[in-house]
Structure formats: C-alpha cells, structure tokens
Amino acid sequence: MEKQRDNERKERIAEAVVPLRTLLSEALPKLYLSHTGILLLCDGDGVLRGTLTDGDVRRAILKGVSFDLPCEAAANMSPITAPEGVDEGRALELMIHSRKVPLNQLPLVDDRGRVKGLLLKTDLVGSPAELPLSAIIMAGGYGTRLRPLTEELPKPMLPVGGRPLLELTLARLREAGIKKVTVTTHYLPEKIMDHFGDGSDFGVEISYLAEEEPLGTAGALGLMDPPRGPVLVINGDILTQAAFPAMLEFHREHRAEMTVAVRQYALQVPYGVLECQGHRVCGLQEKPEYKFMVNAGIYILEPTVWALMPKAGRFNMTDLIEKLMAKDRTVVSFPVVEYWLDVGQPGDYRRAQDDLKNGEIRL
C-alpha cells in the first residue's frame, strides 16, 4: 500500500511540474489535460519558484499577456506551500485561511524548497456531489436565421452528433455538478418538454418557464422569484466546454454581482492601414489584427440583481449590465479559453458538426 501511494505521489508530481521558463502556449495544454488543476514551475534543481492555475491564466488573458511569454508572466511567484509530511488538519487550514479565496491545491516542499508532493483539497474533504449553483437555459428563441432547419424544431433541439444541442448543454451542467435547471420556452415548447420531461432521464431536475411573448435575453428572468443563491444563465444556442466550477470560483473571488463570460474575437483588416496626421503619413500597419472580448452568452447572477429586473416587458442582458454599472455594482468578465461556439447561423451549425467529427468537441 505504501509503495502504491508513493507511485501515485510521483505520478501527480510528474503531471504538474514544468520548467520555469516554459512558454504559456506550451504549458496550457498540460494544465487543462491534468487532473491537478495546477502547474508547479520549478528550476533545474526541482525547487518550486511559482504556480500556474486556471484562474492565473484567465486573469492574464484579461491583462493582454501574450501566450508567447514564459509561464512566470502569468504565474503566482509567491505560492503558499507546506512542508512534506504536514498534518492533514494543518494543510486544510492553510488552504482555507491563507488567502481571501480558499486554495484548491497545496504544494509540499522539503527544507530546500524542492517539490515533494501536491495535496488537492479533494484529498482532504472529497469532491462535492453538487455545485452550489442552479442554472437557467434561455431556449425560447425562434431561430429565424437557421430556417428551414427550425421550421419544425426550436433551435436548441437541432441535433449535433445525433443529440439535441440542449441535451449537450444539460450534460455539461450535470458533469459540473449542477442539478437544478430551469428552461425558458416560447417557440415550439412542446418539442422541448416532450423530449426532456422532468429531466430525470438526463440526471437533472428540470422546471419550465413559458414566455407568452418574446421577452429578450433576460426578460424571462423577471418572471421568476429571486433565487436563494447564485444562478448560471446560458443561452440555449451555445455549444461549449467552459468550466462552470471555475467560473463560479472566479465570480466569488471578485465578489461580483454579475459575471459575464467573454470570448476573445480577432478581426483582421485585409488592407494596409495608414496612420495620418493631416496630409502626412506617419505610420503604416500591414493587415493589422485587432482583438476584442465579446459576450459569450453565459452569466452568473447573484439574487440581488433581481431587484433591477422589470416584472414584465422586454429586457436584455445588456440592459442589466448597464443598470448594474450605472449603480457602480460589481460586474466582471470571465474569459472562456475552452471550446465555445454560438450556433446561430447555418455556417455555425455546419461548423459544430465538423468540430464534432474532428474531435474538437468532447461529448
């Protein structure tokens, strides 16, 4: 048994350790394929110099850090550690109380700072059976841009890989530990309700909220009573592998009332762009690329924002964001680095099928 534990410890370290000067572009695949959720950045002697987590990566994206730089450009270079052989109670105390946001990983080092182990919070308290987050899927749209495909099916019921898009979303929610889901409906609601029922066949609890008329991207929320805890809201035409638990952690870390998932969108000008001062040319950029953060159609809302929602009439998420900002309430952006696709047009729908065949989507 002791030999088995020693082998498991060595495997976990091997999975997490990378050289300090590794480029972010090279390290990220290892981070997101690992089972540890952290990379340990070490020098040639195995001494821990920094750590890189999912949260570090997303903060770096928002700051515009280039992935062509070494990991230390985005890493935490003053990580919390514990000595090898630390008592489990003390380790858990360090994870919970060392920072404003509890740690999920704790590197173990010897007296020279060399990595000797890695504790995960799940080692000490187990994995939660359910994420403290409910979900609302906005599935009431007409899908007019996808006609004739949507003449007899609502857009969230279009098949991707032989399964309705909405079914794939529910599977992602279930995998993340989200069990209670409200689906808003308007166009052909019976197609959705007949397929999913109460959700028990799909591992979730589904309730339905009918829009008598289209109410915009957030209007249906005003028909609901304020929830007891944070709620994830996702558009019904989104195909994504976004990490919902990481989004909730990010939301809590920033004490936000609303977190908006964003996706980096690049726009390349197909011409040389001149910079001019009057008639004088003072600069030239050949086919420059501009990058923007666009709304990814996924949100986490606190119950307090329901006070700003009208009880009737059309209302969009952009309206809610503007109301919160006008009152100086905390709205933050969460970069989605995982697969994401808005299946809103025929070309997008074809791409979803192709991405499935090419293995870019994991069902």
Side-chain angles (χ1 to χ4, degrees), residues 140-142 185-187 210-217 219-220 313-316:
Y142 287 105
T185 62
H186 174 67
Y187 177 63
E211 296 181 39
E212 296 300 325
E213 59 181 353
L215 297 175
T217 54
R314 193 173 182 84
F315 190 64
N316 289 314

Side-chain angles (χ1 to χ4, degrees), residues 177-239:
I178 299 172
K179 300 297 177 66
K180 294 185 178 180
V181 181
T182 299
V183 178
T184 71
T185 62
H186 174 67
Y187 177 63
L188 300 176
E190 68 282 356
K191 299 285 186 178
I192 296 174
M193 299 172 70
D194 290 348
H195 183 85
F196 292 103
D198 62 5
S200 57
D201 290 341
F202 301 90
V204 294
E205 301 173 26
I206 298 179
S207 58
Y208 297 93
L209 178 64
E211 296 181 39
E212 296 300 325
E213 59 181 353
L215 297 175
T217 54
L221 303 181
L223 304 178
M224 303 172 58
D225 292 330
R228 295 183 178 180
V231 177
L232 182 136
V233 181
I234 181 169
N235 292 348
D237 56 359
I238 299 297
L239 183 60

